[in-house]
Amino acid sequence: MDLILCHTTADFDALGAAVGLTRLLPGSKIVLTGGSHPPVRDFLALHRDEYPLIERRSVNPEKIRSLTVVDTQHRDRLGKAAQWLDLPHLGEIIVYDHHLGQESDIPATESYISSVGATTTLIVEQLQQQKISLTPAEATVMALGIHVDTGSLTFDQSTARDALALAWLMQQGASLSVISTYRDPGLSLQLQQLLTEALENLEYLCLHGYTVAWVILRTDGFVPGLSSLASELVELTEIDAILLANEYTFSENDSRLTIIGRSQIPKTNLNLLFQLLGGGGHSQAASLNLRGVNSQAILKQLLDGVKAQIPHPLTARDLMSSPVRTILPETTIAEAQRILLRYGHSGLSVVDTQGQLVGIISRRDLDIALHHGFSHAPVKGYMTTNLKTITPDTTLPQIEALMVTYDIGRLPVLENEQLVGLVTRTDVLRELHQERDEDGRGGEQKFKIQNDAHGFANAVLTKFKIPLSTELQNRLAPQLWQLLTTASQEAEKRGWHLYLVGGAVRDLLLAEATPDTLMIKDIDLVVDGFHKSADVGAGVELAKALQQLYRAARLEIHGAFQTAALLWHKDPELDSLWVDIATARTEFYPYPAANPEVEASSIRQDLYRRDFTINAIALRLTSPRSGELLDFFGGLLDLQAKQIRVLHPNSFIEDPTRIYRGVRFAVRFGFEIEPQTEEFIRYAINSGVYDRTSQENTKTPALQTRLKTELKHILEAPYWKSALQLLDNLGALQCIHPTLKLDESLLRKLRLLERCLRRFDAEQTIIHWQMRLESLIAHLEPEYRVKVAQNLQLQEDSIVRLKNLVQSFSQLMECLPTLQHPSQVVQLLRQYDLPMLILIALQSPREIRHQIWEYLIVWANVQPLLNGNDLKKLGYKPGPVYRQILDDILAATLDGVIKYKTEAEDFLAQHYPK
């Protein structure tokens, strides 16, 4: 007998999931382990015969072969049926649930747990995969399960997967009229009476703009349907959260307490609070059942927990962009348009000579003025002067209300009558709709657990899961976290915000949650201090403060870019750590491939200037919202999709090194370059912009020093071959030189190069990445080599090698075939260093190459049979003649004239008599 167990007081989600499982497990039966919600009870009164339900008392435990538990992970929610979990003859125990982050005490052999709105959704997906159709009765109860548990897709835990599941159930014939009847059946007479009592006795608390209510109802016995009563109270009173307690007598000496929680407050998590007392549920809806407890004390504990979770309200200070780009009223329309283009804004604030705000002009206003030929007119004739303004402490709801009431797209933020920031409609919408996965709803946690041969459970994650921001601390080495904590404390002392940004955040998100912590070697921190009117040197000031606390670190300051770096070298705790600390800034490229011109700005604009979405994620380190992930551009979704997506269409035109970084990230992480991003790359390369800018400008750092840096990162990585192949496929090797292609000839040379480096330089006495780059350049026509090497600002020895390569190659090609003796080969080749010989060998035909190989492998390692001490003992006076004598002995040895030391002495006596 295969049984499907619903939890006690079964709801529609448990029943719907169980009904769907009977189609996946033919012949299985459903057991309601202890009662059901009133709407479920009423539904079954009419539809029970449609489903394979049996009563618990009719089950013979000895005949149970398997158990499948739905919508719970706790055995105490299975009533007396929980004892079946311990039957020794059970073949398997399977759990399906959608409540994340719970510690299960069910000895499951397989578990399917995922962040969807309803457990029924998981069953629907498996039915679809197996192409199993349903009857209308089955589809109806399953649709009810999803509707009720997701609030008809309005609850925060609802997902697109739930919507797709509902659509499929409708195709299977789910009855909308039945669903509407039982989805919201109304309150029973008893619940209506309790509603009146609750409304009269509700207590309220207002905190940070949110209203929390609570009430204790005392009844003679258990009252079913309290969850409906809690929802009704929230709707009627327009409160943000409620704790509804029901204290009742179960028997003469047994008092019990049920508490239902509902919350619509962002970032609150009732599931965590209720779990501490043995209950659970979702972040917005949870419940618990206790016996023999002090109801007032329990309610107070939960209320204190809710109060502690209520977030500080967002204010204009948190949302605003700062500093604000301003212009004077006399600024021309054309100049204002140029400023908009430079900074990518949609409008500009207009201030007088005292810095007082007098108006705002939008891009649309400027476009219209230009269209009518007024490019030289001052903006004061076109700006809006009827302004609504806010203060830094204006809350998000107040800002939203102003924008909606007056249809305003941007609100200036004034402090002491000075313009300190600007909040735009985009800022508000982004904050309202940005996903916040503090309760784990945004990540996938679907896994299958099976016992191995030793009885241990093995969990295999089937999909990338975005970790909770609080989990990131546990993934980082403790000494690094302590450093970040210290840095955040120093920033807070100065009233600044501090963020961990870029690659460190990306790597933390991608890191597996294992016992081994991550020791990141390169950390980027960004200081955003303009909300407190900090000067542009905030990052440098913070770096200096940290250097006072970490004396082992060396401080470097780069004033032009408002950055500082702290460097440790082989430190006992921090090893060779590099920490860059920058002031939040925006940038503008005066021409393609130039160094950007930077100006201090806000964290939003700082992230907006970055290369790819996966590198434009920030982790806030300072209070009051420490641990918050800032993801304005969909970087988390791109990490999940394993794709590299650029932030701006013109990104590669402005900075070609981003092409190389994108390729490096794609190959390193096994990601794909997003199709439109690939189109932008190909367009930038094929446009000829790099050739034009090189001809028009003497300095193009993105095609010179910065390109060399990216080539170094690629060519010293283990994946360098794959990266070069992808660069070639994109046509991006043209950034080095227009004629460079990874053809079969170059591939053969690179394969030979690797054999050379492994065979002749295992100790890495030469720089391998540099040899790879020299080999790429040496593949070009001779007239281009030196110019490319100089353009990339290679070391002088590399430039000299590439300059002399043609002459050296010609000399060897002419001389080596004519040499008859090994000593002649050695005399010719030892004038070249190993890197030059390798470059020559890569260009040479096989015969010449083999002579070079033989020299490097054998002849270069042969030593003279006599040395200077031997000569001295034989009575030869030290002097310059020693070198000639030893060279002649070596030559005779190489050519086989002498083989033993005695023969060498005879050779010496014959050719150099005393």
Side-chain angles (χ1 to χ4, degrees), residues 329 350-351 358-362 365 378-386:
V350 185
V351 298
V358 295
I360 286 181
I361 189 163
S362 69
D365 297 331
V379 297
K380 62 184 179 183
Y382 295 87
M383 67 185 185
T384 300
T385 57
N386 184 20

Side-chain angles (χ1 to χ4, degrees), residues 63-124:
K63 294 185 178 181
I64 301 176
R65 294 183 303 182
S66 70
L67 293 174
T68 301
V69 180
V70 295
D71 205 33
T72 184
Q73 300 172 56
H74 299 289
R75 60 190 302 147
D76 62 0
R77 294 208 65 198
L78 299 176
K80 293 182 179 180
Q83 59 191 356
W84 296 342
L85 298 171
D86 302 320
L87 293 173
H89 61 272
L90 282 182
E92 60 181 0
I93 300 175
I94 305 173
V95 171
Y96 286 87
D97 194 21
H98 67 129
H99 300 94
L100 299 183
Q102 299 196 4
E103 294 185 10
S104 176
D105 56 4
I106 295 176
T109 55
E110 294 184 24
S111 292
Y112 298 91
I113 303 169
S114 188
S115 58
V116 290
T119 302
T120 304
T121 297
L122 303 180
I123 312 302
V124 169

Side-chain angles (χ1 to χ4, degrees), residues 469-530:
S469 58
T470 52
E471 291 175 3
L472 296 180
Q473 174 183 347
N474 300 325
R475 296 189 177 186
L476 198 63
Q479 60 270 35
L480 282 185
W481 187 257
Q482 181 56 51
L483 172 65
L484 296 180
T485 301
T486 302
S488 66
Q489 291 169 350
E490 290 298 315
E492 286 179 356
K493 288 180 185 178
R494 294 159 175 80
W496 301 336
H497 298 321
L498 184 65
Y499 299 88
L500 178 67
V501 300
V505 181
R506 178 200 65 221
D507 292 346
L508 281 173
L509 290 166
L510 288 174
E512 295 291 342
T514 66
D516 298 326
T517 54
L518 195 62
M519 185 64 190
I520 298 174
K521 296 295 184 68
D522 193 350
I523 287 178
D524 288 324
L525 298 177
V526 169
V527 182
D528 183 355
F530 271 91

Side-chain angles (χ1 to χ4, degrees), residues 786-825:
V786 172
K787 183 177 179 182
V788 171
Q790 291 173 336
N791 186 60
L792 293 175
Q793 299 183 17
L794 297 191
Q795 294 181 2
E796 186 61 29
D797 62 333
S798 294
I799 296 174
V800 170
R801 261 193 303 276
L802 291 165
K803 179 180 181 181
N804 296 333
L805 180 56
V806 171
Q807 179 181 350
S808 300
F809 173 76
S810 299
Q811 181 180 3
L812 294 193
M813 288 293 291
E814 179 182 348
C815 296
L816 273 178
T818 67
L819 301 179
Q820 303 297 318
H821 302 292
S823 61
Q824 296 172 312
V825 175

